[in-house]
């Protein structure tokens, strides 16, 4: 079983932007509108932003579009950071950083100096332990300036799916189909879920389909447990919403 970093570098990175919809600029525009709705804008807390687990960078581009400068775009996947760098040409505010999100904030910014930290794309469940999640929440709170904002999005996969509910369609187009299959093994004391990503691609010349599959583990994080980690770190919930597949989005504030 590979790590999340290996899974992305060896398998998912080449499909990731397609998986999200295929148009990175359109994704950035939609993300910018969503962040604006949540009040994630430069202000008294400052204009520095950090995008933890930035992937191909649509959220980093969105933050820059809102006026944040600099925007540190942090990820361990070199292919995804290369994709971001190509799209960020002409956007000097975006600064790609290849680093582990668990260690990035203390190295990149001074305590109490950041206007916004975002950690989207289910990045929290890619961390190796729940202790690492709690430590990251504390690091985010320490990095934020008074009145600063943090946004987290993650999946609550603590309730096992059964039968065909374990098959999750991701996206399909004429030449590519992606499905995710979740497996809840008896090992690890209900600590992780095994994610199997299945991608069928069609050869445009022959019309033949082929399957490529790869697997890795994700943490099973209870939404209630994560909220308690936020509160323990000194962050106040300003807004939250649920989404399909157990997705949770939480907007937090550090006290002024």
């Amino acid at each position: 079983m590979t790590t999340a970093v290996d899974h992305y570098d060896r398998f998912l990175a080449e499909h990731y932007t397609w998986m999200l919809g295929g148009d990175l600029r359109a994704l950035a525009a939609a993300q910018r509108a969503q962040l604006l709705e949540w009040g994630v804008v430069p202000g008294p807390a400052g204009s520095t932003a950090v995008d933890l687990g930035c992937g191909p960078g649509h959220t980093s581009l969105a933050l820059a579009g809102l006026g944040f400068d600099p925007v540190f775009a942090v990820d361990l996947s070199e292919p995804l950071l290369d994709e971001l760098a190509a799209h960020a040409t002409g956007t000097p505010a975006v600064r790609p950083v290849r680093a582990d999100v668990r260690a990035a904030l203390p190295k990149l910014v001074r305590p109490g100096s950041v206007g916004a930290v975002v950690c989207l794309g289910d990045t929290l469940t890619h961390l190796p332990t729940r202790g690492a999640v709690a430590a990251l929440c504390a690091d985010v709170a320490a990095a934020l300036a008074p009145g600063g904002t943090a946004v987290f999005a993650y999946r609550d996969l603590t309730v096992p799916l059964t039968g065909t509910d374990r098959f999750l369609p991701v996206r399909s187009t004429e030449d590519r189909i992606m499905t995710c299959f979740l497996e809840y093994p008896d090992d690890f004391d209900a600590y992780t879920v095994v994610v199997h990503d299945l991608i069928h691609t069609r050869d445009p010349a022959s019309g033949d389909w082929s399957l490529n599959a790869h697997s890795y583990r994700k943490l099973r994080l209870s939404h209630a447990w994560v909220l308690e980690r936020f509160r323990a770190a000194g962050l106040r919930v300003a807004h939250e919403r649920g989404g399909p597949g157990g997705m949770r989005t939480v907007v937090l504030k550090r006290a002024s």
Side-chain angles (χ1 to χ4, degrees), residues 20-68:
L20 296 175
D23 185 337
L24 201 69
R25 291 291 174 180
L27 289 166
Q31 189 71 276
R32 184 169 64 248
Q34 184 65 83
L35 291 170
L36 185 61
E37 180 182 329
W38 291 331
V40 184
V41 293
S47 62
T48 297
V50 183
D51 182 6
L52 296 174
C54 64
H58 59 286
T59 301
S60 300
L61 294 170
L63 289 163
L66 289 169
F68 285 97

Side-chain angles (χ1 to χ4, degrees), residues 121-122 125 153-161 165-170 180-182 184 193 195 218-223 241-249:
D122 217 13
T125 66
Y154 52 90
R155 293 186 188 278
D156 183 339
L157 299 172
T158 52
V159 177
L161 300 176
D165 288 341
R166 294 173 294 168
F167 291 87
L168 307 176
V170 178
C180 179
F181 171 70
L182 302 181
Y184 293 81
V193 58
V195 179
K218 279 186 176 182
L219 278 178
R220 294 168 68 177
L221 300 174
S222 158
H223 179 51
R241 72 176 186 188
M247 182 61 76
R248 301 283 187 165
T249 302

Side-chain angles (χ1 to χ4, degrees), residues 85-138:
H87 284 282
T89 301
T91 310
V94 176
R95 304 182 187 180
V97 179
R98 188 170 187 268
D100 191 320
V101 299
R102 293 173 293 171
L105 285 169
K107 295 179 180 179
L108 288 173
V109 298
R110 292 178 292 102
S113 67
V114 178
V117 177
V118 298
C119 185
L120 309 180
D122 217 13
T123 296
L124 279 188
T125 66
H126 294 160
L127 299 185
T129 65
R130 292 174 188 158
V133 173
L136 182 62
C137 292

Side-chain angles (χ1 to χ4, degrees), residues 26 42 71 97 164 171 181 191 201 203 220:
V71 177
V97 179
T164 56
R171 191 181 181 212
F181 171 70
Y191 203 78
T201 54
D203 187 310
R220 294 168 68 177

